């Protein structure tokens, strides 16, 4: 009873309802929130603090930034989700907040894409500075070795390196990326290596231009740390996977290299296993073995997961 009352009290204010509405849609920093709400930072921080204390929101500092989002667990999170259902549709203030959120997201995407475009030709060089790529590629290939993959999807394929590495293990592979510059490099690489079973397509990995259950392998290699909503990308990977299919995510373990944000547009400084496993489970996937490749200073992690087969009930129905 006390948790409910605390949650209700903490939400019973117009700005705080607006915060619930915004933070239900993804993670935001205080700076982004102040831009959307048009309120001072101390004021916004006061609201956020109170809502975190009431368990409605989660706060997670990461280097110099602090992200906020709707509480993933606990009674506070449940109260927040119930309240969200009661927010009036078509409310003018919430609609305006939504438009500002979309504008902020568009700027983020433009910034990241501008970076990728500027760096397309240098990308292979940049990634090799961070960790021994040969070891990572060996670990990734080992996930798919020993079985025949018929359709592989590489999300955020960039210069197509993952396609090159996995081409011997797959019948067909498609790499999806938004950046034309990256894709043109990938096409050149694939042609040079005569990898006729691989192709690239321009598309948004948040909405893959592919039908559901059309792949038995999906890879997301060094892409999640740029994403505004990494969990949504994992869910999209799960959508295109067929039952029995495998997802492999390659990214960094938590680190403190703030320069990757300033100089390389990284949004997240690595991921905890628990966070990735949370996204996998939410997407209906079963977490499978995790492989770690310690480096200096960055440790690369390969998280794997399987899409389970539907459960067939005694009446023959699937669930
Ligand atoms: C760091 S690069 C990694 C490329 C490749 N996976 C690799 O490891 O070599 C990230 C790639 O994700 C792509 N990307 C980022 N957001 C995207 C989106 N929403 N849709 C498609 N591609 C995206 C970028 O264009 C870029 O090529």
């Amino acid at each position: 009873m006390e948790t409910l009352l605390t949650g209700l009290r903490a939400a019973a204010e117009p700005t705080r309802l607006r915060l619930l509405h915004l933070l239900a849609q993804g993670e935001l920093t205080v700076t982004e929130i102040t831009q959307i709400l048009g309120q001072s930072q101390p004021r916004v921080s006061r609201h956020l603090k109170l809502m975190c204390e009431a368990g409605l929101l989660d706060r997670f500092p990461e280097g110099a930034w602090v992200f906020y989002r709707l509480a993933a667990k606990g009674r506070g999170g449940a109260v927040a989700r119930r309240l969200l259902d009661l927010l009036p549709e078509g409310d003018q203030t919430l609609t305006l907040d939504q438009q500002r959120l979309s504008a902020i997201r568009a700027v983020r995407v433009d910034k990241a894409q501008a970076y990728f475009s500027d760096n397309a030709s240098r990308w292979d060089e940049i990634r090799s500075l961070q960790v021994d790529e040969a070891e990572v590629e060996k670990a990734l290939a080992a996930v798919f070795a020993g079985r025949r993959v018929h359709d592989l999807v590489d999300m955020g394929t960039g210069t197509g390196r993952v396609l090159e590495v996995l081409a011997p293990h797959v019948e067909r592979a498609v790499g999806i990326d938004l950046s034309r510059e990256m894709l043109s490099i990938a096409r050149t690489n694939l042609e040079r290596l005569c990898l006729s079973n691989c192709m690239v397509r321009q598309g948004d990995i948040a909405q893959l231009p592919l039908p559901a259950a059309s792949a038995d392998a999906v890879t997301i290699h060094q892409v999640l740390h740029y994403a505004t909503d990494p969990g949504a990308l994992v869910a999209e990977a799960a959508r295109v996977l067929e039952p029995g299919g495998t997802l492999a995510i390659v990214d960094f373990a938590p680190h403190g290299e703030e320069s990757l944000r300033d100089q390389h547009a990284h949004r997240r400084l690595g991921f905890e296993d628990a966070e990735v496993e949370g996204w996998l489970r939410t997407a209906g996937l079963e977490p499978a073995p995790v492989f770690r490749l310690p480096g200096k200073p960055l440790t690369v992690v390969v998280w794997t997961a399987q899409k389970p087969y539907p459960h067939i009930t005694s009446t023959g129905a699937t669930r």
Side-chain angles (χ1 to χ4, degrees):
M1 178 101 143
E2 199 45 48
T3 316
L4 175 60
L5 281 170
T6 308
L8 290 175
R9 280 191 211 106
E13 202 274 342
T15 301
R16 293 186 212 145
L17 283 181
R18 289 168 71 190
L19 283 168
L20 280 187
H21 171 245
L22 285 171
L23 295 170
Q25 299 176 62
E27 307 156 1
L28 292 170
T29 65
V30 181
T31 309
E32 289 168 336
I33 296 169
T34 54
Q35 286 166 5
I36 295 170
L37 297 182
Q39 296 184 8
S40 71
Q41 180 145 344
R43 202 168 155 195
V44 168
S45 295
R46 220 172 29 249
H47 286 304
L48 290 169
K49 182 168 183 285
L50 209 139
M51 293 171 78
C52 287
E53 284 167 0
L56 298 174
L57 301 182
D58 283 339
R59 171 187 193 277
F60 60 110
E62 212 194 62
W65 291 9
V66 180
F67 289 91
Y68 290 87
R69 65 181 169 204
L70 213 65
K73 293 185 194 149
R75 297 224 179 124
V79 173
R81 277 182 285 280
R82 288 285 179 93
L83 292 175
L84 279 171
D85 288 341
L86 300 173
L87 288 179
E89 271 185 38
D91 178 88
Q92 274 189 357
T93 309
L94 298 184
T95 306
L96 197 58
D97 285 349
Q98 187 65 45
Q99 287 165 357
R100 290 186 182 142
L101 174 63
S102 302
I104 279 185
R105 283 183 165 164
V107 171
R108 266 190 213 153
V109 169
D110 285 351
K111 211 169 140 191
Q113 287 305 320
Y115 164 77
F116 291 131
S117 301
D118 290 349
N119 288 281
S121 57
R122 286 200 305 133
W123 187 253
D124 282 337
E125 180 197 337
I126 293 172
R127 66 213 279 265
S128 71
L129 296 176
Q130 297 176 350
V131 70
D132 184 349
E133 273 304 313
E135 290 301 309
V136 179
E137 290 171 0
K138 216 161 83 186
L140 184 60
V143 172
F144 298 100
R147 70 190 186 90
R148 195 70 203 166
V149 171
H150 59 76
D151 281 287
L152 165 79
V153 178
D154 182 36
M155 294 171 65
T157 198
T159 59
R161 179 65 193 159
V162 169
L163 299 178
E164 285 177 37
V165 171
L166 296 181
H169 303 281
V170 305
E171 275 174 48
R172 287 172 297 270
V174 60
I176 309 286
D177 207 286
L178 267 182
S179 161
R180 283 183 202 283
E181 288 84 355
M182 286 290 198
L183 292 177
S184 77
I185 296 173
R187 283 195 182 93
T188 313
N189 288 342
L190 297 176
E191 280 166 20
R192 180 173 47 83
L193 297 165
C194 301
L195 297 176
S196 56
N197 59 336
C198 300
M199 59 182 255
V200 290
R201 266 213 236 161
Q202 194 182 28
D204 186 352
I205 55 173
Q207 290 178 298
L208 286 169
L210 300 168
S214 56
D216 56 343
V218 177
T219 46
I220 312 179
H221 186 279
Q222 298 294 12
V223 175
L224 284 195
H225 55 244
Y226 295 102
T228 305
D229 189 352
L233 297 186
V234 173
E236 186 59 358
R239 182 185 71 79
V240 298
L241 267 183
E242 63 184 28
T246 300
L247 168 65
I249 298 172
V250 182
D251 219 295
F252 297 121
H255 63 84
E257 293 298 305
E258 197 75 41
S259 64
L260 289 181
R261 252 182 200 145
D262 305 336
Q263 291 163 29
H264 296 294
H266 288 205
R267 182 166 169 81
R268 297 290 309 272
L269 300 184
F271 301 102
E272 299 278 1
D273 288 354
E275 188 171 25
V276 176
E277 284 177 17
W279 294 326
L280 293 171
R281 289 190 198 284
T282 303
L285 300 177
E286 283 168 1
V290 177
F291 306 95
R292 274 169 215 292
L293 299 139
K296 284 185 186 164
L298 303 172
T299 289
V300 169
V301 185
V302 183
W303 290 276
T304 66
Q306 304 287 329
K307 183 153 177 175
Y309 287 93
H311 183 77
I312 300 175
T313 66
S314 53
T315 61
T318 55
R319 58 182 161 92

